[in-house]
Amino acid sequence: MPPRFIVGNWKMHKSISEAESLVNGILKHYQPHPSVELAVAPSFVSLQAVSRLIASTPIGLAAQNVNAHDEGAFTGEISPLMLQEVGCHHVIVGHSERRHIFGETDSLINEKLHAVLRHGMLPILCVGEHLNERQANQTHKVIHTQLQKGLEGLSSYDLLRVAIAYEPVWAIGTGHAATVEQAAEVHAGIRTFLAMQWKIDAERIRILYGGSVSGDNAGTLFHSPQINGALVGKACLNSESFVKIIELAKTS
Ligand code: PGA
C-alpha cells in the first residue's frame, strides 16, 4: 500500500509569523513514519517562510492554486515557475472554493493541471458534488464529468502522478463529514472510472477524502482501504489536531 497522504489546506488563514508558529508546532509533535506522507499548503505569501522551515524535514510544500501560464500580464496571479522556485512539490487544483466562489471551470482546471505537471510538480485534483446533486443521485455523474474534463489529455503515466481529493461540497467546513461508507463508495467509483478510461491499475492512484476531517473521524475514515489520505481544512490550523490526524493515518 502506498503511504497515506495527509495534506493541510490552510486556505486564507495565518499571517507569515502565524504560519511559522504552526509549522514549528507540527514539527515539535510529529514523528515521521514511512506509512504517512505529509504536505502543508500555506497562503502564497507564507510559502517561502514555510519552505525554509521544512527544507530538511519530510514535510512537503503545496500551493493552494496556480495560474496555467508560465508568465505574462496576469495581474495578481502566481505562475507554476514561481511555485517551483519556492519549493512546492504539490499544487491543489480545482478546490471547491475555487470552482464555486471564483468560477473556475473544468477546462481552466485542466489547463492548470497540465501546467503543474509540465513543471515537474504533482497536482491534487479536487472533485465533489453539491448536496442537491447527491440527493438527486447525481454524485457519480457529477464526479465523472469533473474527472473526464479535468484530466483531459493526460497520459496514463501522468495520471498516476495526480492525487485525487474527493471533497463533497456539503461536507466542507460544515462539521458534517461524509461517512466512511459514503466516501469509500465514491472512491471506488472514481477508481473504476479511471481504470476504464485510462486503462491503468487504479489501485495505484491515491484518492484522499476531504470535508470536515477531524481527529474524531479520521481514524474511522482511514479504516477503509479506499481512503488513501485526507485533505484537511479547519483541523489543520492547529498543530495538535493536525498531528492527531497524522497519527491516526499511520499504519503499523
Ligand atoms: P474542512 O476543509 O476540513 O474545513 O472541511 C477541507 C477543504 O476545504 O479542503
Side-chain angles (χ1 to χ4, degrees):
M1 200 152 90
R4 290 217 175 96
F5 189 26
I6 309 295
V7 184
N9 173 12
W10 298 5
K11 306 193 181 184
M12 199 175 72
H13 295 288
K14 306 288 177 191
S15 64
I16 297 174
S17 58
E18 289 168 345
E20 289 171 331
S21 305
L22 178 53
V23 173
N24 285 326
I26 297 169
L27 289 171
K28 194 162 149 205
H29 300 290
Y30 153 68
Q31 301 287 333
H33 192 275
S35 65
V36 181
E37 182 183 342
L38 186 58
V40 291
S43 72
F44 287 131
V45 292
S46 294
L47 282 172
Q48 185 156 27
V50 172
S51 180
R52 285 199 186 112
L53 282 179
I54 63 178
S56 55
T57 77
I59 303 179
L61 189 66
Q64 300 175 17
N65 185 26
V66 66
N67 188 280
H69 297 88
D70 287 0
E71 64 175 324
F74 301 107
T75 302
E77 292 292 289
I78 305 286
S79 91
L81 285 171
M82 298 167 185
L83 296 182
Q84 193 192 42
E85 187 181 11
V86 80
C88 287
H89 296 111
H90 288 91
V91 183
I92 300 171
V93 177
H95 188 276
S96 129
E97 287 144 21
R98 300 294 325 164
R99 290 176 188 266
H100 303 118
I101 304 174
F102 300 101
E104 291 195 5
T105 60
D106 286 314
S107 74
L108 178 66
I109 290 163
N110 178 253
E111 282 178 41
K112 293 183 177 201
L113 206 115
H114 279 278
V116 170
L117 288 166
R118 199 166 57 241
H119 292 284
M121 297 178 289
L122 306 175
I124 301 165
L125 172 65
C126 301
V127 295
E129 82 288 3
H130 285 278
L131 184 58
N132 62 336
E133 292 165 335
R134 172 163 281 269
Q135 287 165 339
N137 280 325
Q138 299 287 304
T139 300
H140 288 284
K141 185 165 170 266
V142 168
I143 287 167
H144 291 174
T145 304
Q146 290 172 342
L147 292 171
Q148 185 79 61
K149 294 186 176 171
L151 297 167
E152 197 178 313
L154 253 67
S155 64
S156 47
Y157 172 78
D158 277 339
L159 180 61
L160 290 168
R161 298 166 63 207
V162 179
I164 308 287
Y166 168 52
E167 296 208 307
V169 180
W170 47 271
I172 297 176
T174 59
H176 300 292
T179 63
V180 61
E181 292 80 13
Q182 287 172 322
E185 196 246 338
V186 174
H187 287 212
I190 293 173
R191 263 185 241 283
T192 306
F193 180 79
L194 296 178
M196 271 171 49
Q197 299 291 316
W198 272 269
K199 314 278 178 259
I200 50 152
D201 172 10
E203 297 306 315
R204 292 175 60 196
I205 295 261
R206 283 199 294 192
I207 308 180
L208 320 183
Y209 168 77
S212 297
V213 174
S214 70
D216 293 333
N217 59 30
T220 311
L221 289 163
F222 296 147
H223 272 140
S224 168
Q226 285 290 349
I227 300 176
N228 309 123
L231 181 52
V232 185
K234 190 160 181 258
C236 78
L237 297 175
N238 168 295
S239 58
E240 278 168 32
S241 54
F242 191 47
V243 170
K244 186 169 177 200
I245 294 168
I246 299 162
E247 289 300 317
L248 291 166
K250 289 180 179 172
T251 50
S252 46

